[in-house]
Amino acid sequence: KAGVTQTPRYLIKTRGQQVTLSCSPISGHRSVSWYQQTPGQGLQFLFEYFSETQRNKGNFPGRFSGRQFSNSRSEMNVSTLELGDSALYLCASSLGGGLNTEAFFGQGTRLTVV
Amino acid sequence: KNQVEQSPQSLIILEGKNCTLQCNYTVSPFSNLRWYKQDTGRGPVSLTIMTFSENTKSNGRYTATLDADTKQSSLHITASQLSDSASYICVVSAGNQFYFGTGTSLTVIP
C-alpha cells in the first residue's frame, strides 16, 4: 500500500514568487491536512481538506491557500513568498479526518525562499 | 492560551538505557493527545494516540501516559536503541485544531 506522496521533495524560490506543492494521500483516504515545520516554531497546522472542502484552518495569512480534488489529491499554494516561508511543508492523510483519526504523514517538501 | 510544552528540549542517552519525555499542555477542550516520532528528513510517524479516558497506551518499547487532570503526558522509551534517535513530538487536539509541541530531540549513543 503506497504511502502519502509529496512532490516536489525540494524547491528553491525567490521572494515574491508563488509556489504550488502537491500531496497524494493514501488510497481511500479522504482527508488531507497541511503543516509547516520550522526549527523555531516546530509544526504548525495550516488547513485540512475533506471531500474537496476546507474543514479546518490554522492561523496563517491568506497567502497560504489550498484545494482538494475529487480524487482526494491536494495542492497547497503560497503566493508572494517571503523569506520566512522557508520551511518543511508536510501533508498528512487520514480516512475520515477529524481529530480522533490516525494521520499518516508524507516525507515533506523542503521549500527554500531566497 | 492553548499551548503544548515539551521537555527536555534535547536528550542524549546510552544505548540500552530507558528515558522519559514530558509533555504539558494547557489546551482545551481536550480531544486527544498523540506522540509522533520524526526521523531527520522524514515525516512524523504516529506512536500512540490517547483520548481523555485512556491513561496508558503502549506501542512496543514505547509507553505513553496521560493525566488529564494535571494535563500532563509522558513518553517512556525502554531499552533504547540507536534507531530511537529522532525528534519526538507531542500533539494535542482540541476543538477543531491541532496544537504541537516543539519536540524533544533524542540521541542514543553506543
Side-chain angles (χ1 to χ4, degrees), chain A residues 9 35 37 41-45 56-58 88 90 98-103 105-107, chain B residues 31-32 34 36 38 41-44 46 49 51 89 93-98 100-102:
Chain A
R9 288 293 312 277
Y35 303 85
Q37 188 175 36
Q41 298 291 322
L43 268 165
Q44 293 181 281
F45 172 67
N56 292 307
K57 190 178 188 305
L88 178 67
L90 293 159
L99 300 181
N100 292 320
T101 308
E102 183 69 72
F105 283 85
Q107 301 273 47
Chain B
S31 291
N32 61 58
R34 310 163 190 235
Y36 282 92
Q38 185 175 21
R42 303 180 75 87
S46 178
I49 175 170
T51 58
I89 303 169
S93 303
N96 62 351
Q97 294 279 353
F98 293 98
F100 296 86
T102 52

Side-chain angles (χ1 to χ4, degrees), chain B residues 5-87:
Chain B
E5 295 183 351
Q6 291 187 243
S7 62
Q9 194 170 33
S10 61
L11 185 61
I12 300 174
I13 62 172
L14 289 173
E15 185 179 12
K17 297 296 186 183
N18 303 335
C19 67
T20 300
L21 314 181
Q22 298 289 343
C23 174
N24 298 335
Y25 61 93
T26 58
V27 175
S28 68
F30 177 87
S31 291
N32 61 58
L33 185 147
R34 310 163 190 235
W35 283 95
Y36 282 92
K37 176 188 178 190
Q38 185 175 21
D39 293 316
T40 301
R42 303 180 75 87
V45 174
S46 178
L47 294 175
T48 64
I49 175 170
M50 289 187 291
T51 58
F52 187 88
S53 58
E54 298 173 296
N55 49 29
T56 302
K57 186 165 275 191
S58 291
N59 178 0
R61 296 180 296 103
Y62 301 99
T63 299
T65 64
L66 173 64
D67 185 333
D69 291 331
T70 62
K71 297 189 177 181
Q72 296 180 325
S73 176
S74 65
L75 180 69
H76 186 74
I77 304 174
T78 305
S80 61
Q81 300 176 358
L82 298 179
S83 59
D84 292 330
S85 295
S87 180

